[in-house]
Amino acid sequence: MPQPSFTEHSGLIWIDLGPDWPGFTDALNDGISALAPRGQPPAASTYWIDHALEGLTRNPGEEITSGNATRIERTATGVRALSDYEAFEEESMTAEDFRGLLTAWRDRVATQMEAGDPARPAQAPYQRNPHR
């Protein structure tokens, strides 16, 4: 499993998988966010991470999540990160590794939330609509 590192920028937690996983780093931060969905206060949230974890139950070929320029799809043995604009080569990993990354990210965000993370109104324009 890639070893994630986490950074906080503008009140949000971002995941980085290092130089060997540029596609998944990009796709995770593009399609999954540590920000609450639209309609909720703009604060740290595990909503999108939980949504991606649920996506692991989908059938091969189905989309787990997508962002502005990337997608993460379920495969027969795991998941793959795809760029809509050829910004990176397709990357694949096992479902167990992907679940481990999401769980680590979720734990980090939950820790921030438990610490009493304040609302961040400046982030409101970037909240995604949960009802696509």
Side-chain angles (χ1 to χ4, degrees):
M1 177 173 94
Q3 295 303 310
S5 63
F6 302 97
T7 57
E8 183 176 343
H9 178 68
S10 298
L12 297 178
I13 305 296
W14 303 93
I15 191 169
D16 186 351
L17 304 182
D20 294 336
W21 296 90
F24 267 104
T25 295
D26 192 17
L28 285 165
N29 288 309
D30 184 37
I32 302 171
S33 170
L35 183 61
R38 192 172 295 154
Q40 298 296 314
S45 171
T46 62
Y47 180 89
W48 295 108
I49 299 169
D50 294 338
H51 178 74
L53 282 165
E54 289 174 19
L56 283 170
T57 63
R58 296 204 173 108
N59 294 319
E62 292 184 331
E63 189 175 274
I64 291 175
T65 189
S66 65
N68 292 319
T70 63
R71 296 183 317 277
I72 298 176
E73 293 180 349
R74 188 70 166 100
T75 66
T77 59
V79 296
R80 72 174 151 227
L82 303 156
S83 172
D84 294 338
Y85 303 105
E86 299 177 11
F88 58 82
E89 294 290 321
E90 177 182 311
E91 294 177 0
S92 296
M93 73 172 60
T94 67
E96 295 77 26
D97 285 350
F98 189 67
R99 184 183 322 279
L101 292 173
L102 292 177
T103 300
W105 194 6
R106 186 186 195 292
D107 290 348
R108 177 64 178 83
V109 172
T111 299
Q112 181 179 5
M113 292 167 56
E114 289 172 7
D117 177 58
R120 291 175 165 74
Q123 297 295 338
Y126 306 105
Q127 288 178 295
R128 297 172 51 198
N129 187 346
H131 308 290
R132 295 199 222 175

